[in-house]
Amino acid sequence: MARLAAEMARYGHDREAPVREVMARLGDRWTTLVLIVLAMGEWRHADLRRALVRLSSEQAISQRVLTLKLRNLERDGFVLRTATDHVPPRVSYSLTPLGRELAAQARHLIDWVNAQSEAIRIARAGFDAREGD
């Protein structure tokens, strides 16, 4: 307990602490998928949105929600937004080195969950059977 308390004191445990906000983002509906897709390269907003819709089992992501997700990732240093001087301006998004590192960590966690999916299903079935009695 003391080690955990010291770690929380060192890195922060307030609402705005990076550990809390980044973990919350990774657990939301879209951010992890955005990171994984951006790990494939640079994307324009509309192309990224179409890719997310094709890959996700969720409803279509709105332009507004995607923009908010990208802005939060940009604010945290994970995404680079590049705009050209052309008319109309061309805006694209890519991962920063920090973002590539985060996407790789998220990918490792996803791979672990996928490898453990049968054990998770068995645990759920056991729990549900006990709760149904």
Side-chain angles (χ1 to χ4, degrees), residues 70-91:
L70 289 167
R71 287 179 58 85
N72 283 331
L73 289 167
E74 182 182 9
R75 179 176 182 253
D76 286 342
F78 301 126
V79 166
L80 176 65
R81 179 183 183 272
T82 305
T84 65
D85 292 333
H86 298 99
V87 178
R90 180 174 187 222
V91 178

Side-chain angles (χ1 to χ4, degrees), residues 3-116:
R3 182 175 175 222
L4 177 59
E7 183 180 333
M8 290 176 73
R10 179 177 176 196
Y11 293 107
H13 59 279
D14 61 316
R15 287 187 172 270
E16 290 80 30
V19 68
R20 288 190 63 176
E21 288 192 344
V22 171
M23 294 304 294
R25 280 191 187 79
L26 290 175
D28 74 21
R29 184 182 241 181
W30 293 104
T31 300
T32 300
L33 185 56
V34 169
L35 285 168
I36 300 300
V37 172
L38 285 175
M40 297 176 201
E42 188 172 317
W43 292 79
R44 293 187 67 184
H45 193 283
D47 296 332
L48 177 59
R49 185 170 172 224
R50 280 191 288 276
L52 294 170
V53 169
R54 279 195 311 269
L55 292 170
S56 177
S57 62
E58 301 288 334
Q59 297 175 358
I61 185 170
S62 71
Q63 182 173 336
R64 179 181 176 279
V65 168
L66 178 55
T67 299
L68 290 173
K69 299 298 177 193
L70 289 167
R71 287 179 58 85
N72 283 331
L73 289 167
E74 182 182 9
R75 179 176 182 253
D76 286 342
F78 301 126
V79 166
L80 176 65
R81 179 183 183 272
T82 305
T84 65
D85 292 333
H86 298 99
V87 178
R90 180 174 187 222
V91 178
S92 61
Y93 298 88
S94 60
L95 293 181
T96 64
L98 187 63
R100 284 192 296 276
E101 205 173 316
L102 179 61
Q105 293 299 320
R107 183 76 247 177
H108 288 299
L109 182 57
I110 290 166
D111 292 343
W112 181 86
V113 171
N114 286 336
Q116 304 306 319

